Every structure is written in structure tokens, then in C-alpha cells.
Amino acid sequence: MSGDPENPEHPERAAVTSLADDFLAGLREWLAIPSIGTDPAHHGDVGRSARWLADALRRDGWPDVQVWDTGPALPAVYACWPAADPDAPTVLVYGHHDVQPVDPVEQWHHPPFEATLVGEELFGRGASDDKGQVAMHLLGVKAHLAALGATQPAVTIKLFVEGEEESGSPHLARLIDDHRDDLTCDLVVFTDTPLYARDAPTICTGQRGVYGAEVVFTGGTSDVHSGRAGGSVPNPATAIARLVAALHDDKGRVRLRDFYADVVEPTEAERADYAALPFEEHVWLANSGGAQAVSGEEGWSTLERVWVRPTAEVNGIHGGYTGPGLKTIVPAQASVKLSFRLVPDQRPERIADALREFVAAHTPPGLRAEIIPRGDGVPPYAMDVTHPAVGALKEAVEAAFDQPVHFSRTGGSGPAALLHGWLGVPVVYLGATLPDDRIHAPNERVVVPLLLRGAEAAARLWRTLPERLT
């Protein structure tokens, strides 16, 4: 990444450069707050994190800052900075300030809540997911105003930072409904996705959805000696194994009825962009838990399998005795935990129906089946790459990173579809982290220069959006 920050063609870059030290100091302070939303013992810290962000926004000059903490959602932060032109578009930036637990803490090279800068990398829980990217947008707004020499932005900018994303955003819909007037906008900028690689910046165009459930097969009321009853009663563990084996055909396709009926495939242009990205299989495998080989649905590349194809995965399986040595029993119960990654236009509720039908068809006589859903699931989302806002975003990112960028997607899930559905406006993605930032794992980090370029891209986007969305 190159470019002269003093060049008059780069006023946003010059502004970001001048503000970089203060930005980093503030981010390190915020990362020290252990806002682990999934742990009730840290819910007070989630509140502290929200108040820290609200104070930072007020110091930056945001005229309307609110902490939404009346429950049942963990505290969220809302802010609004109106545009100078009352007819300018309104953009809502979404992110989250809650973070994942840090276990196993002994594997961290630095204390997880003492942000540590090593070269260009900042280590700490939340550095990448998602405090770093939220702070990036605060910097982007300041740089935008500095570049314009203005006290109001070119678009009305709203910020909505929730505190429950790492818990699956269970109260997000209610939060949006309760504050619909505040959150009204023309466009959502979602800031919780990575670039493809440091030397291959991309614009994410979508996230997969997810539905999870546990299937439990129960036979008798207790385990029974395999010599006494083996071969004479149905074995729940065997039945679970057969159900798992039946999930896929020999081409890697999921065998639930009509599983692919709603799938919208990517455009040829998007597939061409994916193919143009640098990909080394051995590097990808090394960064995928040290896997030994790629596999999956026939006819699709590895990146396509991860980004734009639906999946069924066994997350865990249990049945009978699993301790040391041998215990000759027929278990009374066995279970499997399943998750399905979904792509547009699949819906969790339809997958739930198909799973119930599949389980019923694979439950032997004499066994009782129970399906325990893990929440309602998260729908997938993909944006229209021909939308004018996407063109503006692409130009801003290319200018900030000094190179052409391709489209990508991410295999993970998030509430983009919920935001789109409840607010009724398009969602675009602007993130500046990396897939190997070790989010949710020990030694999470963020590459600081990428956050600075992301802030520059945001600042450029605010300048150019009015002419694109009017």
C-alpha cells in the first residue's frame, strides 16, 4: 500500500495519518474493558464498554449520543451526526462492542485485556472483532470532517453498536422495533467482516446464515449389557451413525428434502472475482486447523464452498460409554449436534422443517427421536452488487488501498439479513480486518495500517455517497 498522504488528491489519508496516534491510544483503552457478553459475570463490563464508547463519541463532537440500557438487551450505543444538507442520505453504521471469552487464557502470548502493540499488529480481545472496526468508523468520521474542513458530514451518519452479537443478537429485533424512528436510514454499512488478504483487499458482498439443532435418539430407560440384549434391541448410537451417514450423498450434497430449492447462485461475474483471488491450498489448509485435504460439494472451488454453498456439518456426536477401556453396553441414548450454513434465499425455518422430516425418516422402530433447536437461526444475506452504493464503496476502498479490489463473501453469519428485513434498506459491508486475525481464539490481533486504510475508505465513502444515492 502506497500513496503520499500530503498529496491533495488524498485529503482523507492526510487526515487519518494526523489522527492515527490518538485513534490507537483510544482503541487500546477500550480494549482493556472485558465486555464478554456471553458471560453473565461480565455483563457489568458490557455496560462499562457502552459508556466508554458513548463518552468517546461525545468527545468527538457527535451531537446526539444515547446508551440504550433499559433491557432486556445488553447495553447498546446509538449516535447521530446530521448532515449539513437536510436532504442528504442517511447512513447507519452497524457494529458490536461485546467480545468473546478468552479461554484458554494460558495460550495467550499477551494478557487478552491489555492491548499490546507488536510492530504493526495490535493484540487483544476485540481488536479485530469488533471494537477495532467500530473505532475505525469513529476515525473515519473525524477524517471526513477534517478533509472537508466542515463541522457536519456530507451524509447523515448514524451509529448503532449492539452488545449481544457474540450471543447471537437475541434481542436485536426488539431493539430495532423499539427504536425504529432513531434507526431509520437509506443504507446500512455493516462493519464486522474481513478483507480476503492483506495484499488482496476485497469487498464482502454477503454472509451465510446458520441453523443449529441437536438430534437425540432414546431407546430404553438405561444402558443394557450388550451380551444380554445386543442384537435384539435397537441401538441409538448405531441409529445416530446411520443418520449422520445419510446426511450427504457421494457428491457431497446435503440430502434433506428440497435443501437446495431456494438457493440463489452467485453471478458469473462474482465467481470470476473469486477465481481471480490468490489461493494456495496448502496455506489455506494450514490456516484451517491444519486440515490435511479439501473436500466438499463437487463442482465448486474451495472458496465457493465456504462462501456461497450451503452445508450440513456434524459439530459433535455422543453415544454410550466414552471413557477409558471398554464397557460392553447398548446405550440408552445417543445424540448428534448439527449446524447448517445457509445461503440466499434459504431460510432457517424451512431447514428446520426439512430436518424434522429427515429425522423422522431415519428413526428406527423402537427409538424415540427428539430435535432440540439451538435458537431460531440466522438468515443469510447477499447484497446486490449493481446497487449504486456498492459502486461508491468499491471506488472508496480502491482509492484507500491503492489497488483494484474484488468481491468476496464470508462463510460466517451475522445479523445483516435482520437489519435489512426490519429497516427495509440495502446493507453493504465495509471491514478492514483479516481472516487470520484469530477472532474467537487466543491471540486475537488486528493489523493497524489496515484499520487506518479502512477509516480512509469510510471517509471517502461519506464524501461521495450523496451524488450516488440521490
Side-chain angles (χ1 to χ4, degrees):
M1 293 180 290
S2 60
D4 180 5
E6 302 303 322
N7 190 315
E9 296 181 1
H10 293 279
E12 288 87 1
R13 184 168 302 173
V16 167
T17 301
S18 69
L19 297 166
D21 289 344
D22 287 344
F23 159 76
L24 184 58
L27 176 56
R28 294 178 74 168
E29 184 178 306
W30 195 17
L31 294 177
I33 301 174
S35 51
I36 305 171
T38 60
D39 183 351
H42 285 280
H43 285 182
D45 293 315
V46 178
R48 281 206 300 136
S49 174
R51 292 189 295 274
W52 186 96
L53 176 58
D55 289 343
L57 290 163
R58 294 185 183 106
R59 288 194 298 270
D60 286 351
W62 288 70
D64 181 9
V65 179
Q66 304 172 30
V67 177
W68 294 342
D69 60 356
T70 56
L74 292 175
V77 177
Y78 166 82
C80 178
W81 202 322
D85 180 358
D87 295 324
T90 297
V91 182
L92 176 70
V93 177
Y94 164 86
H96 66 91
H97 68 99
D98 59 316
V99 301
Q100 281 278 320
V102 298
D103 305 284
V105 69
E106 66 274 8
Q107 293 185 13
W108 286 77
H109 301 321
H110 311 282
F113 293 109
E114 294 179 18
T116 304
L117 186 65
V118 180
E120 295 182 334
E121 299 180 342
L122 183 65
F123 290 84
R125 178 59 88 223
S128 179
D129 182 25
D130 186 36
K131 289 179 178 177
Q133 301 204 80
V134 172
M136 173 188 83
H137 276 282
L138 271 61
L139 174 59
V141 172
K142 294 171 69 174
H144 168 63
L145 295 172
L148 291 182
T151 58
Q152 290 180 271
V155 294
T156 292
I157 302 175
K158 296 180 177 181
L159 187 70
F160 174 41
V161 184
E162 67 156 315
E164 294 187 321
E165 194 275 343
E166 299 294 5
S167 303
S169 303
H171 301 104
L172 182 58
R174 176 170 173 179
L175 203 59
I176 294 173
D177 198 40
D178 288 345
H179 299 278
R180 190 179 294 275
D181 291 342
D182 289 318
L183 298 174
T184 298
C185 60
D186 300 299
L187 179 73
V188 172
V189 173
F190 190 101
T191 183
D192 191 15
T193 53
L195 307 167
Y196 177 71
R198 180 166 185 170
D199 297 324
T202 52
I203 294 172
C204 177
T205 64
Q207 295 173 289
R208 292 193 294 186
V210 66
Y211 173 75
E214 183 174 6
V215 180
V216 181
F217 281 168
T218 303
T221 56
S222 64
D223 297 346
V224 63
H225 192 294
S226 64
R228 180 177 183 277
S232 301
V233 295
N235 187 314
T238 301
I240 281 288
R242 287 175 174 158
L243 179 142
V244 168
L247 267 177
H248 299 86
D249 65 17
D250 58 4
K251 294 184 179 180
R253 289 175 62 86
V254 180
R255 297 180 65 192
L256 272 62
R257 183 180 60 82
D258 293 334
F259 186 74
Y260 297 91
D262 298 323
V263 170
V264 176
E265 296 186 0
T267 65
E268 289 303 315
E270 288 177 286
R271 294 192 72 179
D273 261 17
Y274 307 156
L277 293 170
F279 180 81
E280 295 182 78
E281 183 176 293
H282 71 281
V283 174
W284 187 88
L285 288 170
N287 290 327
S288 300
Q292 300 301 301
V294 298
S295 67
E297 185 184 358
E298 287 186 7
W300 299 88
S301 71
T302 298
L303 292 181
E304 289 171 335
R305 289 169 179 163
V306 173
W307 291 344
V308 299
R309 300 306 293 167
T311 66
E313 293 294 343
V314 174
N315 307 131
I317 188 166
H318 176 86
Y321 180 70
T322 59
L326 181 65
K327 187 178 183 182
T328 54
I329 60 165
V330 175
Q333 191 175 85
S335 62
V336 60
K337 296 178 187 290
L338 302 171
S339 65
F340 300 85
R341 291 289 173 174
L342 313 179
V343 300
D345 282 331
Q346 293 178 306
R347 288 294 175 265
E349 60 272 17
R350 294 197 64 179
I351 301 305
D353 290 342
L355 178 62
R356 281 192 290 269
E357 182 179 307
F358 180 83
V359 170
H362 291 83
T363 303
L367 294 184
R368 183 177 71 256
E370 181 183 11
I371 300 176
I372 306 169
R374 299 305 180 190
D376 295 329
V378 177
Y381 181 79
M383 65 190 193
D384 176 5
V385 297
T386 67
H387 192 280
V390 178
L393 176 61
K394 191 171 189 290
E395 289 179 10
V397 175
E398 288 180 336
F401 284 83
D402 297 314
Q403 60 184 292
V405 301
H406 292 290
F407 292 130
S408 66
R409 293 198 196 181
T410 180
S413 304
L418 190 151
L419 291 164
H420 169 69
W422 279 79
L423 298 176
V425 299
V427 177
V428 298
Y429 297 86
L430 175 54
T433 58
L434 295 174
D436 60 353
D437 278 346
R438 295 181 291 276
I439 65 172
H440 296 204
N443 302 307
E444 178 180 350
R445 65 92 202 259
V446 73
V447 179
V448 174
L450 294 183
L451 287 183
L452 299 182
R453 290 300 170 97
E456 179 186 340
R460 290 174 178 271
L461 181 64
W462 307 146
R463 173 165 55 87
T464 59
L465 265 182
E467 62 191 48
R468 299 300 185 90
L469 295 184
T470 54

